[in-house]
Amino acid sequence: MTSPILALRRAILDAASADAELRALMGGALRLHDEPPRGAEPVYALFSDVRATDWSTDQDRGHEQSLGIVVWSEPGSARTALAVAERLDALLDDAPLALDGHRLVNLRVTELASERDKETRLTRVTLRLRAVTEVVG
């Protein structure tokens, strides 16, 4: 059985990579990673913290996930990061994603927050998502 976290990440990557507008906002290619790419210049996004808790019923085994995606932008420009985050919001909020080994019951964007890093002056925009999934099979 595939991990619900990994299944959701794969589905998010598939949906994001299929979107030409998002790729254009990120410089022509999807730049959504698990870890910061070595030497990469912004704009790029990272999967951040995730928490999966039991959401099982008497009939079905399931999980509630709280996860984040952090978008980093170049120094002095919040606009690019906000545009990428807003496009991710439009793509993912209530999206009918197909997950390997799981059924997506619900996916919602619950928060969008922007901050400027004091040391690097890079803007980061964090998207918080909530997903409920059920194990298939």
Side-chain angles (χ1 to χ4, degrees):
M1 175 181 65
T2 304
S3 153
I5 294 169
L6 294 177
L8 182 58
R9 281 188 178 191
R10 169 67 2 213
I12 289 171
L13 282 167
D14 290 347
S17 65
D19 189 73
E21 184 178 342
L22 178 61
R23 290 192 318 268
L25 288 168
M26 296 185 105
L30 179 66
R31 301 179 71 199
L32 176 55
H33 311 283
D34 287 324
E35 297 292 331
R38 187 172 263 152
E41 293 294 320
V43 71
Y44 60 84
L46 304 172
F47 286 107
S48 68
D49 297 342
V50 62
R51 184 180 66 249
T53 56
D54 184 49
W55 195 259
S56 300
T57 65
D58 290 340
Q59 287 81 29
D60 297 305
R61 184 162 176 244
H63 299 88
E64 177 185 35
Q65 295 184 49
S66 172
L67 65 144
I69 298 175
V70 179
V71 181
W72 288 90
S73 188
E74 58 267 3
S77 174
R79 181 179 305 227
T80 321
L82 286 166
V84 169
E86 287 173 355
R87 185 64 194 152
L88 284 166
D89 183 337
L91 285 172
L92 299 175
D93 191 54
D94 208 26
L97 303 179
L99 279 64
D100 182 31
H102 301 267
R103 182 177 78 81
L104 183 62
V105 175
N106 180 280
L107 177 62
R108 300 302 304 204
V109 174
T110 60
E111 182 180 28
L112 187 72
S114 176
E115 299 177 276
R116 188 172 311 276
D117 186 89
K118 288 178 177 48
E119 290 181 28
T120 65
R121 295 189 27 227
L122 298 175
T123 296
R124 66 177 173 263
V125 180
T126 303
L127 232 67
R128 296 297 314 164
L129 300 101
R130 177 190 176 268
V132 176
T133 58
E134 293 176 341
V135 176
V136 176

Short mmCIF file of all heavy atoms in Angstrom, two decimals, residues 47-101:
data_model
loop_
_atom_site.label_atom_id
_atom_site.label_comp_id
_atom_site.label_asym_id
_atom_site.label_seq_id
_atom_site.Cartn_x
_atom_site.Cartn_y
_atom_site.Cartn_z
N PHE A 47 7.56 21.25 -0.92
CA PHE A 47 6.62 20.65 0.02
C PHE A 47 7.20 20.89 1.41
O PHE A 47 8.39 20.67 1.65
CB PHE A 47 6.50 19.14 -0.21
CG PHE A 47 5.71 18.78 -1.43
CD1 PHE A 47 6.33 18.30 -2.57
CD2 PHE A 47 4.33 18.92 -1.45
CE1 PHE A 47 5.60 17.97 -3.69
CE2 PHE A 47 3.59 18.59 -2.56
CZ PHE A 47 4.23 18.11 -3.69
N SER A 48 6.38 21.37 2.32
CA SER A 48 6.87 21.62 3.68
C SER A 48 6.28 20.59 4.63
O SER A 48 5.96 19.47 4.21
CB SER A 48 6.54 23.06 4.12
OG SER A 48 5.16 23.24 4.28
N ASP A 49 6.14 20.95 5.88
CA ASP A 49 5.68 20.02 6.90
C ASP A 49 4.35 19.38 6.53
O ASP A 49 3.48 20.02 5.91
CB ASP A 49 5.52 20.73 8.24
CG ASP A 49 6.83 21.28 8.75
OD1 ASP A 49 7.89 20.83 8.28
OD2 ASP A 49 6.79 22.16 9.63
N VAL A 50 4.20 18.14 6.93
CA VAL A 50 2.95 17.41 6.73
C VAL A 50 2.66 16.59 7.98
O VAL A 50 3.57 16.13 8.66
CB VAL A 50 3.02 16.50 5.47
CG1 VAL A 50 4.10 15.44 5.62
CG2 VAL A 50 1.68 15.85 5.17
N ARG A 51 1.39 16.46 8.26
CA ARG A 51 0.94 15.63 9.38
C ARG A 51 -0.25 14.83 8.90
O ARG A 51 -1.21 15.40 8.37
CB ARG A 51 0.56 16.51 10.58
CG ARG A 51 0.16 15.72 11.81
CD ARG A 51 -0.22 16.61 12.99
NE ARG A 51 -1.44 17.37 12.71
CZ ARG A 51 -1.50 18.69 12.53
NH1 ARG A 51 -0.43 19.42 12.58
NH2 ARG A 51 -2.64 19.29 12.30
N ALA A 52 -0.19 13.51 9.07
CA ALA A 52 -1.33 12.66 8.73
C ALA A 52 -1.83 12.01 10.01
O ALA A 52 -1.06 11.40 10.76
CB ALA A 52 -0.92 11.58 7.73
N THR A 53 -3.12 12.16 10.27
CA THR A 53 -3.72 11.57 11.46
C THR A 53 -4.84 10.62 11.04
O THR A 53 -5.38 10.73 9.94
CB THR A 53 -4.30 12.65 12.39
OG1 THR A 53 -5.23 13.46 11.66
CG2 THR A 53 -3.19 13.55 12.93
N ASP A 54 -5.14 9.69 11.92
CA ASP A 54 -6.16 8.69 11.63
C ASP A 54 -7.52 9.36 11.47
O ASP A 54 -7.92 10.20 12.27
CB ASP A 54 -6.21 7.67 12.76
CG ASP A 54 -7.19 6.55 12.46
OD1 ASP A 54 -7.13 5.99 11.35
OD2 ASP A 54 -8.04 6.26 13.33
N TRP A 55 -8.22 9.00 10.41
CA TRP A 55 -9.54 9.53 10.10
C TRP A 55 -10.46 8.37 9.71
O TRP A 55 -11.32 8.48 8.86
CB TRP A 55 -9.42 10.55 8.97
CG TRP A 55 -10.61 11.44 8.77
CD1 TRP A 55 -11.57 11.31 7.82
CD2 TRP A 55 -10.97 12.58 9.52
NE1 TRP A 55 -12.50 12.30 7.93
CE2 TRP A 55 -12.15 13.10 8.97
CE3 TRP A 55 -10.40 13.23 10.62
CZ2 TRP A 55 -12.78 14.23 9.48
CZ3 TRP A 55 -11.04 14.35 11.11
CH2 TRP A 55 -12.21 14.83 10.53
N SER A 56 -10.23 7.22 10.34
CA SER A 56 -10.95 6.00 9.98
C SER A 56 -12.37 6.01 10.53
O SER A 56 -12.66 6.65 11.54
CB SER A 56 -10.20 4.78 10.51
OG SER A 56 -8.91 4.70 9.96
N THR A 57 -13.22 5.28 9.82
CA THR A 57 -14.58 5.03 10.28
C THR A 57 -14.70 3.54 10.55
O THR A 57 -13.74 2.79 10.38
CB THR A 57 -15.60 5.45 9.21
OG1 THR A 57 -15.45 4.60 8.05
CG2 THR A 57 -15.43 6.91 8.80
N ASP A 58 -15.90 3.09 10.91
CA ASP A 58 -16.11 1.66 11.13
C ASP A 58 -15.90 0.85 9.86
O ASP A 58 -15.47 -0.29 9.90
CB ASP A 58 -17.53 1.40 11.66
CG ASP A 58 -17.71 1.89 13.08
OD1 ASP A 58 -16.69 2.08 13.78
OD2 ASP A 58 -18.87 2.09 13.49
N GLN A 59 -16.19 1.44 8.71
CA GLN A 59 -16.09 0.73 7.44
C GLN A 59 -14.80 1.01 6.66
O GLN A 59 -14.36 0.17 5.88
CB GLN A 59 -17.27 1.08 6.51
CG GLN A 59 -18.59 0.48 6.91
CD GLN A 59 -19.28 1.28 8.01
OE1 GLN A 59 -19.09 2.49 8.12
NE2 GLN A 59 -20.06 0.61 8.84
N ASP A 60 -14.23 2.18 6.80
CA ASP A 60 -13.11 2.58 5.96
C ASP A 60 -11.93 3.09 6.78
O ASP A 60 -12.12 3.78 7.79
CB ASP A 60 -13.54 3.71 5.00
CG ASP A 60 -14.61 3.27 4.04
OD1 ASP A 60 -14.41 2.27 3.34
OD2 ASP A 60 -15.67 3.94 4.00
N ARG A 61 -10.73 2.75 6.30
CA ARG A 61 -9.52 3.30 6.91
C ARG A 61 -9.16 4.57 6.16
O ARG A 61 -9.15 4.60 4.93
CB ARG A 61 -8.39 2.29 6.79
CG ARG A 61 -7.14 2.74 7.48
CD ARG A 61 -6.19 1.58 7.75
NE ARG A 61 -4.99 2.14 8.33
CZ ARG A 61 -3.81 2.09 7.76
NH1 ARG A 61 -3.65 1.47 6.63
NH2 ARG A 61 -2.77 2.64 8.35
N GLY A 62 -8.90 5.65 6.90
CA GLY A 62 -8.61 6.92 6.24
C GLY A 62 -7.66 7.78 7.04
O GLY A 62 -7.27 7.46 8.16
N HIS A 63 -7.28 8.90 6.41
CA HIS A 63 -6.34 9.83 7.01
C HIS A 63 -6.78 11.27 6.73
O HIS A 63 -7.30 11.56 5.66
CB HIS A 63 -4.94 9.63 6.44
CG HIS A 63 -4.41 8.27 6.69
ND1 HIS A 63 -4.64 7.21 5.83
CD2 HIS A 63 -3.67 7.78 7.71
CE1 HIS A 63 -4.07 6.13 6.31
NE2 HIS A 63 -3.47 6.45 7.44
N GLU A 64 -6.51 12.12 7.70
CA GLU A 64 -6.63 13.56 7.49
C GLU A 64 -5.20 14.09 7.43
O GLU A 64 -4.38 13.79 8.31
CB GLU A 64 -7.38 14.23 8.63
CG GLU A 64 -7.44 15.74 8.46
CD GLU A 64 -8.09 16.44 9.64
OE1 GLU A 64 -7.92 15.98 10.79
OE2 GLU A 64 -8.76 17.46 9.42
N GLN A 65 -4.90 14.83 6.38
CA GLN A 65 -3.55 15.38 6.22
C GLN A 65 -3.59 16.89 6.28
O GLN A 65 -4.46 17.52 5.70
CB GLN A 65 -2.95 14.97 4.87
CG GLN A 65 -2.72 13.49 4.73
CD GLN A 65 -2.05 13.17 3.42
OE1 GLN A 65 -1.05 13.79 3.05
NE2 GLN A 65 -2.59 12.21 2.69
N SER A 66 -2.62 17.44 6.97
CA SER A 66 -2.38 18.87 6.97
C SER A 66 -1.00 19.04 6.36
O SER A 66 -0.02 18.48 6.86
CB SER A 66 -2.40 19.42 8.39
OG SER A 66 -2.00 20.77 8.40
N LEU A 67 -0.92 19.76 5.24
CA LEU A 67 0.36 19.90 4.56
C LEU A 67 0.54 21.30 4.04
O LEU A 67 -0.41 22.06 3.91
CB LEU A 67 0.48 18.88 3.42
CG LEU A 67 -0.48 19.04 2.26
CD1 LEU A 67 0.22 18.67 0.98
CD2 LEU A 67 -1.68 18.11 2.47
N GLY A 68 1.79 21.61 3.74
CA GLY A 68 2.10 22.93 3.23
C GLY A 68 2.93 22.86 1.97
O GLY A 68 3.64 21.89 1.73
N ILE A 69 2.81 23.90 1.19
CA ILE A 69 3.67 24.14 0.04
C ILE A 69 4.18 25.57 0.21
O ILE A 69 3.39 26.49 0.40
CB ILE A 69 2.92 23.98 -1.29
CG1 ILE A 69 2.41 22.55 -1.46
CG2 ILE A 69 3.82 24.39 -2.46
CD1 ILE A 69 1.54 22.35 -2.70
N VAL A 70 5.50 25.73 0.17
CA VAL A 70 6.12 27.04 0.34
C VAL A 70 6.71 27.47 -0.99
O VAL A 70 7.50 26.74 -1.60
CB VAL A 70 7.21 27.02 1.42
CG1 VAL A 70 7.85 28.39 1.57
CG2 VAL A 70 6.64 26.55 2.75
N VAL A 71 6.31 28.65 -1.45
CA VAL A 71 6.81 29.21 -2.71
C VAL A 71 7.82 30.30 -2.36
O VAL A 71 7.53 31.20 -1.57
CB VAL A 71 5.66 29.80 -3.55
CG1 VAL A 71 6.20 30.36 -4.86
CG2 VAL A 71 4.57 28.77 -3.80
N TRP A 72 9.01 30.21 -2.96
CA TRP A 72 10.07 31.20 -2.75
C TRP A 72 10.22 32.06 -3.98
O TRP A 72 10.21 31.56 -5.10
CB TRP A 72 11.40 30.50 -2.47
CG TRP A 72 11.43 29.85 -1.12
CD1 TRP A 72 11.06 28.57 -0.81
CD2 TRP A 72 11.84 30.45 0.10
NE1 TRP A 72 11.22 28.35 0.53
CE2 TRP A 72 11.69 29.48 1.12
CE3 TRP A 72 12.31 31.71 0.44
CZ2 TRP A 72 12.01 29.74 2.44
CZ3 TRP A 72 12.64 31.97 1.76
CH2 TRP A 72 12.49 30.99 2.75
N SER A 73 10.36 33.36 -3.77
CA SER A 73 10.50 34.31 -4.87
C SER A 73 11.83 35.03 -4.78
O SER A 73 12.50 34.98 -3.75
CB SER A 73 9.35 35.31 -4.81
OG SER A 73 9.34 36.13 -5.97
N GLU A 74 12.17 35.72 -5.85
CA GLU A 74 13.44 36.45 -5.88
C GLU A 74 13.41 37.64 -4.92
O GLU A 74 12.35 38.11 -4.53
CB GLU A 74 13.78 36.92 -7.30
CG GLU A 74 12.74 37.81 -7.93
CD GLU A 74 11.73 37.06 -8.77
OE1 GLU A 74 11.78 35.83 -8.84
OE2 GLU A 74 10.85 37.73 -9.33
N PRO A 75 14.59 38.14 -4.54
CA PRO A 75 14.65 39.26 -3.60
C PRO A 75 13.86 40.47 -4.10
O PRO A 75 13.93 40.82 -5.28
CB PRO A 75 16.15 39.60 -3.53
CG PRO A 75 16.84 38.35 -3.96
CD PRO A 75 15.92 37.69 -4.94
N GLY A 76 13.10 41.06 -3.19
CA GLY A 76 12.39 42.28 -3.50
C GLY A 76 11.12 42.13 -4.31
O GLY A 76 10.51 43.12 -4.70
N SER A 77 10.69 40.89 -4.59
CA SER A 77 9.49 40.71 -5.41
C SER A 77 8.57 39.65 -4.81
O SER A 77 8.79 38.46 -4.98
CB SER A 77 9.87 40.29 -6.83
OG SER A 77 8.71 39.99 -7.57
N ALA A 78 7.55 40.12 -4.13
CA ALA A 78 6.54 39.21 -3.60
C ALA A 78 5.56 38.78 -4.70
O ALA A 78 4.95 37.73 -4.61
CB ALA A 78 5.77 39.88 -2.47
N ARG A 79 5.45 39.58 -5.73
CA ARG A 79 4.45 39.35 -6.79
C ARG A 79 4.56 37.96 -7.42
O ARG A 79 3.57 37.28 -7.60
CB ARG A 79 4.57 40.42 -7.86
CG ARG A 79 3.56 40.28 -8.97
CD ARG A 79 3.72 41.38 -9.98
NE ARG A 79 3.64 42.65 -9.25
CZ ARG A 79 2.91 43.67 -9.62
NH1 ARG A 79 2.24 43.62 -10.73
NH2 ARG A 79 2.89 44.77 -8.91
N THR A 80 5.77 37.54 -7.74
CA THR A 80 5.94 36.25 -8.42
C THR A 80 5.51 35.10 -7.52
O THR A 80 4.81 34.20 -7.96
CB THR A 80 7.41 36.04 -8.83
OG1 THR A 80 7.96 37.26 -9.30
CG2 THR A 80 7.54 35.01 -9.91
N ALA A 81 5.96 35.12 -6.27
CA ALA A 81 5.59 34.06 -5.33
C ALA A 81 4.09 34.04 -5.10
O ALA A 81 3.47 32.97 -5.05
CB ALA A 81 6.33 34.22 -4.01
N LEU A 82 3.49 35.22 -4.97
CA LEU A 82 2.04 35.28 -4.78
C LEU A 82 1.29 34.75 -6.00
O LEU A 82 0.30 34.04 -5.86
CB LEU A 82 1.61 36.71 -4.46
CG LEU A 82 1.94 37.18 -3.05
CD1 LEU A 82 1.78 38.69 -2.95
CD2 LEU A 82 1.07 36.47 -2.03
N ALA A 83 1.78 35.07 -7.18
CA ALA A 83 1.13 34.58 -8.41
C ALA A 83 1.20 33.06 -8.50
O ALA A 83 0.21 32.39 -8.85
CB ALA A 83 1.76 35.22 -9.64
N VAL A 84 2.35 32.48 -8.16
CA VAL A 84 2.50 31.02 -8.18
C VAL A 84 1.59 30.39 -7.12
O VAL A 84 0.89 29.42 -7.39
CB VAL A 84 3.97 30.61 -7.97
CG1 VAL A 84 4.10 29.11 -7.71
CG2 VAL A 84 4.80 31.00 -9.19
N ALA A 85 1.59 30.96 -5.92
CA ALA A 85 0.76 30.41 -4.84
C ALA A 85 -0.72 30.50 -5.19
O ALA A 85 -1.49 29.56 -4.93
CB ALA A 85 1.04 31.15 -3.54
N GLU A 86 -1.14 31.61 -5.78
CA GLU A 86 -2.54 31.74 -6.16
C GLU A 86 -2.91 30.76 -7.26
O GLU A 86 -4.03 30.24 -7.29
CB GLU A 86 -2.83 33.18 -6.58
CG GLU A 86 -2.85 34.11 -5.39
CD GLU A 86 -2.97 35.59 -5.78
OE1 GLU A 86 -2.96 35.93 -6.97
OE2 GLU A 86 -3.07 36.40 -4.83
N ARG A 87 -1.98 30.47 -8.17
CA ARG A 87 -2.26 29.48 -9.21
C ARG A 87 -2.36 28.08 -8.60
O ARG A 87 -3.23 27.30 -8.97
CB ARG A 87 -1.18 29.52 -10.30
CG ARG A 87 -1.47 28.60 -11.46
CD ARG A 87 -2.74 29.03 -12.18
NE ARG A 87 -3.19 27.97 -13.06
CZ ARG A 87 -4.45 27.79 -13.41
NH1 ARG A 87 -5.40 28.60 -12.99
NH2 ARG A 87 -4.78 26.80 -14.19
N LEU A 88 -1.48 27.77 -7.66
CA LEU A 88 -1.57 26.49 -6.96
C LEU A 88 -2.90 26.37 -6.21
O LEU A 88 -3.54 25.32 -6.21
CB LEU A 88 -0.40 26.31 -6.00
CG LEU A 88 0.93 25.94 -6.63
CD1 LEU A 88 2.07 26.14 -5.64
CD2 LEU A 88 0.91 24.52 -7.16
N ASP A 89 -3.32 27.46 -5.58
CA ASP A 89 -4.62 27.50 -4.90
C ASP A 89 -5.74 27.16 -5.87
O ASP A 89 -6.58 26.30 -5.60
CB ASP A 89 -4.82 28.88 -4.28
CG ASP A 89 -6.10 29.01 -3.47
OD1 ASP A 89 -7.07 28.25 -3.68
OD2 ASP A 89 -6.15 29.92 -2.63
N ALA A 90 -5.75 27.81 -7.04
CA ALA A 90 -6.79 27.57 -8.03
C ALA A 90 -6.77 26.13 -8.53
O ALA A 90 -7.83 25.54 -8.78
CB ALA A 90 -6.63 28.54 -9.20
N LEU A 91 -5.59 25.54 -8.66
CA LEU A 91 -5.46 24.17 -9.15
C LEU A 91 -5.87 23.12 -8.13
O LEU A 91 -6.44 22.09 -8.48
CB LEU A 91 -4.02 23.88 -9.55
CG LEU A 91 -3.50 24.46 -10.83
CD1 LEU A 91 -2.00 24.21 -10.94
CD2 LEU A 91 -4.21 23.84 -12.02
N LEU A 92 -5.56 23.38 -6.86
CA LEU A 92 -5.68 22.33 -5.85
C LEU A 92 -6.93 22.41 -4.99
O LEU A 92 -7.40 21.37 -4.51
CB LEU A 92 -4.44 22.35 -4.95
CG LEU A 92 -3.11 22.08 -5.66
CD1 LEU A 92 -1.95 22.23 -4.70
CD2 LEU A 92 -3.12 20.72 -6.34
N ASP A 93 -7.48 23.59 -4.76
CA ASP A 93 -8.63 23.71 -3.87
C ASP A 93 -9.82 22.95 -4.46
O ASP A 93 -10.30 23.27 -5.55
CB ASP A 93 -8.99 25.17 -3.64
CG ASP A 93 -10.00 25.34 -2.52
OD1 ASP A 93 -9.73 24.84 -1.42
OD2 ASP A 93 -11.06 25.95 -2.76
N ASP A 94 -10.25 21.92 -3.76
CA ASP A 94 -11.38 21.06 -4.16
C ASP A 94 -11.12 20.30 -5.46
O ASP A 94 -12.05 19.92 -6.16
CB ASP A 94 -12.67 21.87 -4.25
CG ASP A 94 -13.90 21.02 -3.97
OD1 ASP A 94 -13.77 20.00 -3.25
OD2 ASP A 94 -14.98 21.36 -4.48
N ALA A 95 -9.85 20.07 -5.77
CA ALA A 95 -9.49 19.35 -7.00
C ALA A 95 -9.81 17.85 -6.87
O ALA A 95 -9.59 17.27 -5.81
CB ALA A 95 -8.01 19.53 -7.30
N PRO A 96 -10.28 17.25 -7.95
CA PRO A 96 -10.59 15.81 -7.93
C PRO A 96 -9.36 14.98 -8.31
O PRO A 96 -9.34 14.30 -9.33
CB PRO A 96 -11.69 15.69 -8.98
CG PRO A 96 -11.34 16.76 -9.98
CD PRO A 96 -10.73 17.89 -9.17
N LEU A 97 -8.32 15.01 -7.50
CA LEU A 97 -7.08 14.33 -7.82
C LEU A 97 -7.21 12.82 -7.67
O LEU A 97 -7.90 12.34 -6.77
CB LEU A 97 -5.95 14.82 -6.91
CG LEU A 97 -5.67 16.32 -6.90
CD1 LEU A 97 -4.52 16.62 -5.93
CD2 LEU A 97 -5.35 16.83 -8.29
N ALA A 98 -6.51 12.09 -8.53
CA ALA A 98 -6.48 10.62 -8.45
C ALA A 98 -5.23 10.22 -7.66
O ALA A 98 -4.12 10.60 -8.03
CB ALA A 98 -6.45 10.03 -9.85
N LEU A 99 -5.42 9.47 -6.59
CA LEU A 99 -4.32 9.03 -5.73
C LEU A 99 -4.13 7.52 -5.86
O LEU A 99 -5.11 6.78 -5.90
CB LEU A 99 -4.61 9.35 -4.26
CG LEU A 99 -4.34 10.75 -3.75
CD1 LEU A 99 -5.21 11.78 -4.42
CD2 LEU A 99 -4.48 10.80 -2.27
N ASP A 100 -2.89 7.09 -5.91
CA ASP A 100 -2.56 5.68 -5.98
C ASP A 100 -2.84 5.01 -4.64
O ASP A 100 -2.24 5.37 -3.63
CB ASP A 100 -1.09 5.52 -6.36
CG ASP A 100 -0.68 4.06 -6.50
OD1 ASP A 100 -1.53 3.23 -6.90
OD2 ASP A 100 0.50 3.75 -6.21
N GLY A 101 -3.78 4.07 -4.62
CA GLY A 101 -4.08 3.32 -3.41
C GLY A 101 -5.00 4.02 -2.43
O GLY A 101 -5.29 3.49 -1.35
#
